[in-house]
Amino acid sequence: METSCQSPMLHSPWAMPSCSLTQQPEVSGLGALLITNLLSAIMSSQQQLVGSDLYPKDTNAFAEKYDFIVVGSGSAGAVVANRLSEISDWNVLLLEAGGDPPISSEIPPIFHSLQETDVDWQYVTEPQEFGCQGMVEHRCNWPRGKVLGGSSILNAMLWVRGNRRDYDNWAEAGNKGWSYEEVLPYFKKTEDFKYHEADTPGAETYSEEYHGRGGYQLLEQFKYRSPIVDGLIDAAQELGYTIRDVNGEKQTGFTLQHGTIVNGTRMSTAKAFLTPIKDRKNLNVAKFAHVTKILIDPNTKTAYGVEFRKNNETFVALAQKEVILSAGTVNSPQLLMLSGIGPKEHLEELGIPVIQDLEVGKNLQDHMQVVGPAFMFNRSRSYSLDNKKVLDDTYEYLVHRTGPLASIDILQFQGFISTKYAHLDVPGSKLEETEDLDYPDVQYQHIKFPLNDNEGTKRVSHVTRFTDEIYDAVFGIPNSKSEIYIPLTVLQRPKSSGFIKLRSTDPFEAPIIDPRYLSDPRDVQTLVEGVKVAISVGQTKTMVDRFETQLNTLKIPGCESEEFGSDDYWSCAVRKVATTIYHHVGTCKMGPRSDPDSVVDSTLKVHGVRGLRVIDGSIMPAVVTGNTHAPIVMIGERGADFIKDDWLK
């Protein structure tokens, strides 16, 4: 029987394909058998897992006018739609290009199985000159959520706010109201933070001063972790790092991160912000509604509606107050440019009438992660896939929502450290002050695979676009010898930036995405220093004695001429295996009109255009220190209040 199922996903031996739950693929082999059993179990428990009417109903009948039209239901858009529809007199239309999240998105460790499916925009970058050198065609994948909840359906559910200095820097750049002390109440407003003193080392540092309760976004720690997580915690302490709440007073150190999860299932913004209000009479949600243009009066420069396609028909929706773009770092600038707001020269090249000349699409920033080097561990007692174990874990999850399937395992263990370059980001500081600055420039995450997990490692390699030669060196050969764990060294303040441009005037054609990864040598230098620290963690006495860790010294193809372990070697390796960690921001930069690169002002209104705001991650002047989902939810909360301030006063 033919299906549209995708290959098993990364990070987990409990992987399943992404396909319709009414279909069951024909499979063979032990790994495939486990996948089939898990898929069958989930099919039989579909009703109990999420219910049949979890999300707002799809609307096909449209009013003549709405007060507000929100484009995109992702990490910010769902928040904006919720908060605006709190005002019963306001009629809100939320337009989403995708549909409801699939059931497989509920299960934490299989989130990557959704990449390259119909809930993913399936973007890829342009061929890169300096980065992505180990990828097919030198292009990196750029997954983005095309679904209710947006990329909060595809992400790893980690809740990281960023650093105090990030927001203070925004404010100092002329963005009034965006300092850390001013955005902290919005983080707290959105949160329903749960913790127990026995959860992790550092639990005693959680403080009501920094965490909110009673908000829509439920946050918990993952209820399962393998022994290697505790080993990594002890290894970090052996090296002198503090185990702390990195969303609290200070960020430098290591932590077991809270996530957007409740009762072992994903708590996306669709579930957190739309499910509780799905029956609000003044909220209208149109799914599979692809917005193609913002309607703007060229004489008054006032946005008055949108044009969109749904069910193979073209519709027009009119906004009496505002149009809000929450379509994300790729789609928001694409829509602005298609509608005549963007760089004048670029729009004229495509024959698009220019309404407002702004640097839309510039300032594109992203965090890059170095995948590797791998550590082999438990070499004398390696765990491999076991049919009974996986079936037991499946049963435990479906009945109790506990066990490995309720967790992202070692990916929940994170760290933030400062390299010798971190002080350069704080004017007037010196190298010896680096640690005291509490402004880390490298983040760590971790993944692991059981012995001979060919399905899991090949899925990682596939969605990362690694060539076969790179796959063998990073995953295949070491994993054939033992279990492996891989530190992911993540650059926090990239000096390289890129751009997004229109490929054509066709709104259904993906735009040009060129992040210009690693075009600034400082990025490579910082990642090299970060990789050295990652290696030192794996080589601590704690890790060697407890898990028999051994560094994989097989050289990355293309770097054979360099001495393994030297700075020149790691510089070469970084350019080969560093890839996106999906934190794309900045393409509709927030800033005062005096900033020639800015697109929106500090209240997120598009410069020079009435009735139009952008409220999503694209407004970030600079990417934050950490995962971007929590800050984008905060931006949604902040933006909604700006709108209320304008219209209710």
Side-chain angles (χ1 to χ4, degrees), residues 389-410:
K389 174 73 164 61
V390 174
L391 291 177
D392 287 345
D393 292 342
T394 301
Y395 175 82
E396 179 180 359
Y397 180 75
L398 293 175
V399 174
H400 303 293
R401 302 293 187 270
T402 57
L405 282 172
S407 170
I408 53 173
D409 201 8
I410 70 172

Side-chain angles (χ1 to χ4, degrees), residues 209-221:
E209 180 182 356
Y210 294 100
H211 298 288
R213 296 182 184 273
Y216 281 103
Q217 184 65 71
L218 274 67
L219 301 169
E220 293 182 352
Q221 286 192 325

